[in-house]
Amino acid sequence: GRDQGYGLSARGLAVETGTSAESFPFFREFWIETPPAGDSRITIYALLDSEAATGAFHFQLSAAQESVIDVNVTLFPRRSGVKFGLAPLTSMFLNGENDRRVLDGYRDELHDSDGLLIHTGAGEWLWSPVGNPPYVRTSSFLDANTHGYGLLQRDRSFQSYQDLDLSYEKRPSYFVEPTGDWGHGRVELIELPTGDETNDNIVASWTPAIPPEAGKPFVYAYRIT
């Protein structure tokens, strides 16, 4: 977004996150359409690849006060029974108002995001603060046709961070909104222990109740704001 800095990341796909079988897909290739002069949108195509799945991605990015990216995906699982995390967000939380397990000199707060916001399919809004636990912590929020979820940086006060170089108060928030119905599943929040601010230890994604089948195309779409 305008006047914001780099912070959390939106990833293409999470595979077995939080387990000993976790793997990390990568984007093998990108194709970018040259936009017409004066156009505020850009179209990007990408090929995702991994041992567990491959996928074709279509991104349409609009940069503005609130930047928006519309994502359309056709995923081809290579194995059955894999726990896929769709539209994953990855962030960092070292310490904050609700978690002082790891202290860092003069900086009282160090995080790219301070909580997970969920808009359930029933219209309820849920807020779950994130932390830096001493062990891997997984939280599942069961839902049907979820309206959205995101990792937010709500504390915008410089006094909370007092870091002139990293400007944590300017880190963006990302909110995912499914296009169409995603059916039954869960928003999964995984918090990993970390001893410093260089590790992205927070992951939030949507896991379908019924895993996509091997060899069959699985199509879904969403918007990130």
Side-chain angles (χ1 to χ4, degrees):
R2 188 169 295 150
D3 298 324
Q4 292 183 332
Y6 181 82
L8 79 166
S9 302
R11 293 163 53 188
L13 183 70
V15 178
E16 299 287 6
T17 303
T19 75
S20 59
E22 182 175 13
S23 61
F24 296 90
F26 63 97
F27 284 106
R28 183 180 293 278
E29 197 82 40
F30 288 96
W31 298 268
I32 303 174
E33 287 187 0
T34 303
D39 199 334
S40 63
R41 297 179 300 173
I42 191 166
T43 300
I44 305 166
Y45 303 92
L47 175 63
L48 179 135
D49 200 10
S50 79
E51 182 271 336
T54 187
F57 283 68
H58 173 273
F59 303 103
Q60 189 163 68
L61 172 64
S62 301
Q65 184 70 32
E66 284 190 342
S67 293
V68 173
I69 186 164
D70 290 301
V71 187
N72 288 272
V73 186
T74 301
L75 188 69
F76 296 89
R78 290 185 163 126
R79 291 189 284 109
S80 296
V82 177
K83 187 186 82 168
F84 290 115
L86 311 183
L89 304 176
T90 299
S91 192
M92 183 278 295
F93 184 100
L94 182 67
N95 58 40
E97 294 173 355
N98 60 301
D99 191 328
R100 304 288 191 196
R101 188 177 69 84
V102 178
L103 299 178
D104 178 87
Y106 67 93
R107 297 180 297 179
D108 288 336
E109 296 190 45
L110 278 166
H111 51 75
D112 289 336
S113 306
D114 49 15
L116 170 68
L117 182 68
I118 301 173
H119 189 194
T120 71
E124 183 181 10
W125 289 93
L126 306 177
W127 173 254
S128 178
V130 299
N132 180 12
Y135 49 82
V136 178
R137 183 166 63 197
T138 300
S139 304
S140 294
F141 302 88
L142 301 180
D143 202 3
N145 298 323
T146 188
H147 290 317
Y149 59 91
L151 292 174
L152 272 58
Q153 182 78 314
R154 298 202 305 183
D155 191 338
R156 296 294 176 183
S157 171
F158 169 78
Q159 295 301 321
S160 297
Y161 309 100
Q162 299 188 52
D163 195 319
L164 290 170
D165 293 325
L166 298 177
S167 301
Y168 283 102
E169 71 278 4
K170 295 182 180 180
R171 301 293 167 103
S173 298
Y174 286 3
F175 196 77
V176 174
E177 296 172 281
T179 303
D181 293 339
W182 279 11
H184 290 267
R186 64 187 185 272
V187 177
E188 190 172 76
L189 172 66
I190 298 174
E191 300 159 281
L192 306 172
T194 184
D196 61 63
E197 63 195 285
T198 62
N199 296 317
D200 282 349
N201 62 318
I202 305 296
V203 183
S205 64
W206 173 262
T207 297
I210 301 176
E213 293 185 49
K216 293 185 178 180
F218 184 80
V219 179
Y220 59 99
Y222 57 96
R223 165 175 286 189
I224 305 175
T225 303

